[in-house]
Amino acid sequence: MRSLDFHPCGDFLVTGGHSPFLRLYHLQTMQGYVSKDTKNAHAGAINHVRFSDNGRFLATAARDGSLKVWDATDMTCVRTVLKAHQGLEVTSVYFSTDSTQMLTHGSDGVAKIWEVATGREMVRFGTTPQSEGAQIRGHSIWGSND
């Protein structure tokens, strides 16, 4: 197991690990479920999993360089961003508090903000030659589920 997160209702736990498949556990019964959407599984280990604050979505950041958004009710993949960080591994993912955006970080040293509905990259910042020495300023829109 490499990452885990509670569903906002507190009844479920999702895990990601060395396997490319998500696992969901019902905490009252400890019954485990694996996503049946195997055709959309990652090609390698899952580095980070996060539920959206509204509980509708689940995001996964993976070693294969992809970012995926899953429907949290049936564990089906609704969006895939291939090569989200130049094909390097995506190391972390967080949802904004309104669940409309995701923040990712990758092994390329860059952080990016993505639109959940479309998978479109909205903003990028980090240690690229263009941004070296730049300071990032802004307000917090990210959940506290780190």
Side-chain angles (χ1 to χ4, degrees), residues 8 23 37 42 49 55 61 72-73 79 82-83 95 118 132-133 139:
R23 287 180 170 73
D37 191 359
H42 287 284
V49 296
T73 58
R79 179 119 21 260
L82 298 172
K83 298 183 179 182
F95 281 94
T118 64
E132 189 149 337
H139 63 281

Side-chain angles (χ1 to χ4, degrees), residues 55-103:
R56 290 185 51 215
F57 300 109
L58 176 65
T60 53
R63 206 175 254 183
D64 66 6
S66 68
L67 166 67
K68 292 182 181 276
V69 179
W70 304 80
D71 182 310
T73 58
D74 62 8
M75 301 285 285
T76 57
C77 184
V78 296
R79 179 119 21 260
T80 298
V81 179
L82 298 172
K83 298 183 179 182
H85 285 268
Q86 300 178 23
L88 300 173
E89 61 182 291
V90 185
T91 56
S92 60
V93 60
Y94 296 91
F95 281 94
S96 60
T97 55
D98 65 2
S99 303
T100 63
Q101 298 174 336
M102 295 175 293
L103 173 67

